[in-house]
Amino acid sequence: MEEGTLKSPRHPTGTAPGPAAAPARCDYGDADPFQWDTREDCEVRQILDRIGDKWSLLVIALLDVSTLRFTELRREIDGISQRMLTVTLRQLERDGLVKRTVHPVVPPRVEYQLTPMGRTLHTTINALVVWTEEHQNQIAAAREEYDRRAATAL
């Protein structure tokens, strides 16, 4: 491998450009931990940040149950501001996860619902919630043990 390149199983040549002083990476096969690049221009990172934020998760969970109006969503999501809900809905709509429907009545009635792709995301999120519920006691115990060790180390 030439100087200034890193081993990368996802790159067609098996190497990726990188700083000359950077340490070589191990070959992780298909499970490349560097696939979610932390650069701001990384598309995958941007999508994960969007769908992983707390407001998006709540909106997706609520819209999986039924189609809702803006005011209904705001009432259901404790602590969200009108502006943050607007931004969240626009981003989810832009990403193709939420469909916004404006009904031609006076005053206008706007409803939000998950798209078919948004529904598949809810299935994935639900699996994460189930995992969290199943392991919450173990996580709480691990936190207590860690805090105990950290307190005695001071």
Side-chain angles (χ1 to χ4, degrees), residues 110-140:
V110 181
E111 295 179 329
Y112 297 90
Q113 66 187 89
L114 286 183
T115 63
M117 183 170 58
R119 290 201 183 283
T120 65
L121 178 59
H122 182 266
T123 302
T124 302
I125 292 168
N126 195 49
L128 183 60
V129 170
V130 168
W131 180 91
T132 305
E133 289 171 343
E134 290 173 356
H135 294 89
Q136 65 184 344
N137 292 336
Q138 291 171 281
I139 293 169

Side-chain angles (χ1 to χ4, degrees), residues 8-152:
S8 175
R10 293 202 183 273
H11 195 275
T13 64
T15 60
R25 294 183 181 164
C26 298
D27 184 352
Y28 296 101
D30 287 337
D32 182 3
F34 300 100
Q35 66 184 325
W36 301 309
D37 195 327
T38 57
R39 293 172 299 160
E40 286 186 27
D41 63 339
C42 176
E43 195 78 23
V44 172
R45 179 79 257 159
Q46 290 174 6
I47 295 167
L48 287 172
D49 287 346
R50 167 90 27 79
I51 62 177
D53 82 52
K54 68 179 180 178
W55 302 126
S56 294
L57 289 172
L58 289 169
V59 167
I60 291 166
L62 287 168
L63 292 179
D64 188 62
V65 176
S66 68
T67 298
L68 295 171
R69 296 176 68 179
F70 183 92
T71 53
E72 294 169 322
L73 282 165
R74 180 134 186 249
R75 194 173 332 146
E76 291 292 324
I77 303 175
D78 189 37
I80 194 168
S81 68
Q82 180 171 333
R83 181 186 180 290
M84 185 52 66
L85 180 56
T86 300
V87 168
T88 300
L89 287 166
R90 282 185 184 154
Q91 290 172 339
L92 292 172
E93 182 182 9
R94 181 173 182 251
D95 289 343
L97 302 171
V98 168
K99 179 182 176 197
R100 179 179 185 262
T101 304
V102 179
H103 297 279
V105 295
V106 178
R109 190 176 89 231
V110 181
E111 295 179 329
Y112 297 90
Q113 66 187 89
L114 286 183
T115 63
M117 183 170 58
R119 290 201 183 283
T120 65
L121 178 59
H122 182 266
T123 302
T124 302
I125 292 168
N126 195 49
L128 183 60
V129 170
V130 168
W131 180 91
T132 305
E133 289 171 343
E134 290 173 356
H135 294 89
Q136 65 184 344
N137 292 336
Q138 291 171 281
I139 293 169
R143 287 177 177 174
E144 288 176 16
E145 176 60 27
Y146 178 91
D147 292 346
R148 220 179 352 268
R149 285 193 321 266
T152 59

